[in-house]
Amino acid sequence: MTRKEPNVYRRTLARAVEIAEGPERLASFLACTPAEIAKWSTGESNPPMPIFLAMVDITAANALTPAALENLPAARARRSTWIPAQDSR
């Protein structure tokens, strides 16, 4: 059995999930499924590079930003429908 050590993909995903306030919200933002998020978080597979780069953008901005969607064709097509949550701070 191979132990899945945290790597740059899993650490970036974990931070993106925190920023999104949950895997379901991150999946919705990235136009993927919660099941895919779960597979990436366990190390079963790595996210496709465009999705990983979007997560890097999310973590760099510390927010779900429209700029993070620039290289995601599926998400970009529905970007106009994304409504960020109101900041409750």
Side-chain angles (χ1 to χ4, degrees):
M1 176 190 261
T2 303
R3 187 172 167 203
K4 303 286 185 180
E5 294 292 331
N7 60 25
V8 70
Y9 296 103
R10 291 174 67 198
R11 289 189 309 266
T12 302
L13 172 61
R15 182 64 187 129
V17 167
E18 276 182 44
I19 292 166
E21 300 176 351
E24 294 81 11
R25 189 160 179 249
L26 181 63
S28 174
F29 182 77
L30 295 174
C32 63
T33 67
E36 289 172 305
I37 298 284
K39 285 180 13 180
W40 303 332
S41 69
T42 63
E44 185 178 327
S45 64
N46 291 326
M49 191 54 63
I51 290 180
F52 173 69
L53 294 175
M55 290 189 293
V56 169
D57 286 341
I58 290 165
T59 59
N62 202 36
L64 300 178
T65 62
L69 301 178
E70 288 303 313
N71 295 313
L72 296 177
R76 188 175 47 223
R78 64 180 224 346
R79 178 175 53 201
S80 62
T81 64
W82 171 253
I83 301 169
Q86 296 296 323
D87 191 357
S88 59
R89 289 178 240 173

